[in-house]
Structure formats: structure tokens, C-alpha cells
Amino acid sequence: MWDVVIVGARVAGAATALLQARRGARVLLVDRVRFPSDTLSTHQVQPAGIDMLERWGLLKAVGNAPGHERVRFDIDGIVIDGAFPQRGRLYSPRRTVLDAALVEAAAGAGAEVVQGYHVAGLLRADDGRVVGIRGRDGSEHRAGLVVGADGKHSLVAREVGARTVVEAPVRTVASYSYWEGVELGHGELYHRRGRAVAAFPTNDGLTMVYACAPLDEFDTWRRDPERSLLDSLGNCGDLGARVRAGRRIERVRTTNDLPNRVRQATGPGWALVGDARMVMDPVTAQGISNALRDAEQVVDRTAMFRTTQRIARLRPPGAILRPLLRAVAGSEARTTRFLGVFAGTVPPRITTAWLAGGRSRTPRAACPR
Ligand SMILES: Cc1cc2nc3c(=O)[nH]c(=O)nc-3n(C[C@H](O)[C@H](O)[C@H](O)COP(=O)(O)OP(=O)(O)OC[C@H]3O[C@@H](n4cnc5c(N)ncnc54)[C@H](O)[C@@H]3O)c2cc1C
């Protein structure tokens, strides 16, 4: 019996597994693919997402992708070129790099990771509550909570019948690929009538170039995606010339599978995170940061639930908790953070791991300052 079983091990699933395992939960993380594995996605991680990776000690998950404090945004000739607030940095790590590093970190935190495991269905109790997963191989895993981090076509969402809360039509078709030898400082974004274009430095000195067009151009666009992509740069200053001066080193990937949808996030025994919960057109590059945020939120909520169950047993603090509570009592700053958790103004991250007792791995090192 697991505390949490997570279906899907990319940004949403691996981050959820990592954070749950760090709080002492018994976590099973499964994915039908094996990592490193690419997926149809460009990969700007907004400063809010980078901030989370940094807080979790995982900024290294971006590999050798460079970070930039600035971005250049040209909207129909109006150029907004400047820095993110609070010295935030944007990185654009390849998903082969980022996802694999998160999976490795989740395993390092104590989550059991099973790759090449295809979930075929969910297990239910008599009252309909979700109590586990069933694999294509016939194996079953029971859990207190099943998290669907299985992307926009989520099997978990389908099986539990998660309601669609908001939906908008598919609006764009998008293509992207990778070039070497492109002169590019920080990221560049262009919005023109009927086109959006992005060029960002990524791992190994490569440049990712992305363009999208209205969905009703799909048939003409896909006849020659490379041409469609490069023609879209024609109206973006000298970006087209700089990209053509480089060399494309991977195939052009094209998709119109770009839904916009928000689903009900939780139900009895289940929760959805990442694209399974909310998916939107990638034109604003929010999905990865949203997935990381979801992971933190679902973990904070379940951590507080577990903490409450411990406290409600009304037992005196044990051998691990007692010295930690003394450490809190002896510091004004720690006391404020500790009280903030119950006040609802400080996320219950580290403090609840102490209170959960017993299986907190490094309670002393984890003392909030
Ligand atoms: C063209 C494009 C460009 C994008 N660009 C950006 C960008 O620049 N920045 C950004 O932030 N976001 C971008 N996004 C969005 C981003 O890709 C998603 O938001 C993000 O991948 C969501 O992560 P996730 O972990 O929720 O799901 P996913 O990345 O979809 O991962 C789901 C995982 O679940 C696994 N899975 C599914 N079903 C099963 C099953 N039955 N059994 C076992 N495993 C299963 C899959 O194998 C997969 O590994 C882009 C998307 C597209 C399509």
C-alpha cells in the first residue's frame, strides 16, 4: 500500500513525487516511457518555475541551458526589451534534460520509480473511491491517493470523469526545431498578425525556434512545415537571416493538438496536476511552470492533511519531534514560520515534515532559518 501513486513522470509527476517523498510519504511514480525521453514541447521555464526548482535545490535540472534575466518582446513593432522582476531568470532546458533530472531527483528522494509501466485503469472501492492503479501487465498498486500527472489526454481524468470547468477551442498550429550556429543573446519573441515566433537559447549551444499560426491555416502549414516555420520569421527583423545562417540539426516538429481546458482538480482518492488539470496553448509558455506549481500545491495540501491526522491523535511529541520543537521554541524566526503554517500564510513545506514525525529524513538539515 502506497501513500501516493503518481501516473506520469514528467514535470508535474516527477515534481509531485519528489516533494511527497521528501515529506516522508511512500510514493510510487510510474510512466509508460523510459527517461531520458523527449516529448512534443518547447521548454521555456518562466522565472516562477525556475524559482521553484531553485527552492527545491534542483536548478541543476536545467543542465547546461543558459539562464537570462532579460527577454525581448516585439509586439507588432512595439519593442519591450527588459529584465524580469526580482532578478528572475528564464531558462529553456530540453525536456530530455529537465524531465530526466526530475525523475532522478524523485528517485533520490525515496520515490519508487517504475519506467515503461503503462497504466490501463484505476482500482475502485465499493463506494467508488479511487484506491489504486492497474497496469497493462495486470499488476495492481493500491494507494491512499492517485495523482494523474498523465498529460492533456489523461487516462486518470477520463476514468474518474473529471468535469471540464472551462474550455476554449484549439486556436493554433505550431512548429519548432533546433539550430546550431545562430547568433542570439537572450530570448526573442515576436507577435505579428496571424503569427507568433519565439527563439530561445537551449542546451548544448543550440537555439530553439518556434512559430505558430491560426488553426485554419493547418492544411497549408503542414504541407511544408520547415518553410512555414522559416517564412514566419520573415517579418521579425533580422531573426530569419540569423537562423538561416545557422544549421538545423533536428527535424521540424508540428502539432495542432493544442487544447485549452481546465478540469476539476480533485475527487475521492484522486487529484490531477499539470496538463491533466489545466492545459493551454503554448504561445505564452506557461505549462511547465504551472505543472511545478500544481505539484507544490497538491503536496502542501496533502501534507497538511496528514499533519492534521497526526496532531488529532493527541499524543505527546516523540523522540524526533521533541528536539525540533525545542529548536523552534528557541528561535523567534523559526517560531514565526512555524506559526505561519497554521496561520495559512507560510506553505506547510518543511515544518509539516517535522510534525508528520517518524519518516522525515533530514530533520535537522531541513530546519527553516
Ligand atoms: C508545441 C508545444 C510547445 C510547448 N512549449 C512550452 C514552453 O515553452 N513552456 C512551457 O512551460 N510549456 C510548454 N508547453 C506545455 C508543456 O509541454 C506542458 O504543459 C507540460 O509538458 C505538462 O507537463 P505534465 O507533466 O503535466 O504532462 P506531460 O509532459 O504530458 O507528461 C505526461 C506523462 O504521462 C505519461 N503517461 C500518460 N498516460 C500514461 C499511462 N496511461 N500510463 C503511464 N504513463 C502515462 C506520458 O508518457 C508522459 O510522460 C508546450 C506544449 C506544446 C505542445
Side-chain angles (χ1 to χ4, degrees), residues 7-14 30-33 35 37 39-46 92 95 99 117-120 149-155 174-176 208 210 255 257-258 273-276 278-291:
V7 185
R10 291 191 186 274
V11 279
V30 303
D31 202 301
R32 62 190 174 198
V33 303
F35 295 90
S37 153
T39 186
L40 194 65
S41 166
T42 63
H43 29 72
Q44 288 89 267
V45 185
Q46 300 294 340
S92 186
R95 297 294 299 269
D99 296 3
Y117 185 97
H118 201 131
V119 175
D150 48 346
K152 57 193 166 198
H153 301 298
S154 170
L155 170 136
S175 290
Y176 67 96
M208 186 286 304
Y210 157 102
T255 184
D257 183 16
L258 300 171
V273 292
D275 274 9
M278 175 168 73
V279 60
M280 62 176 97
D281 193 291
V283 70
T284 52
Q286 298 295 311
I288 296 169
S289 301
N290 283 341

Side-chain angles (χ1 to χ4, degrees), residues 10 21 40 73 87 93 101 147 152-153 177 196-198 232 275 291 299 312 360:
R10 291 191 186 274
L40 194 65
F73 200 176
R87 302 182 62 105
V147 177
K152 57 193 166 198
H153 301 298
S177 190
V197 167
S232 302
D275 274 9
V299 169
S360 176

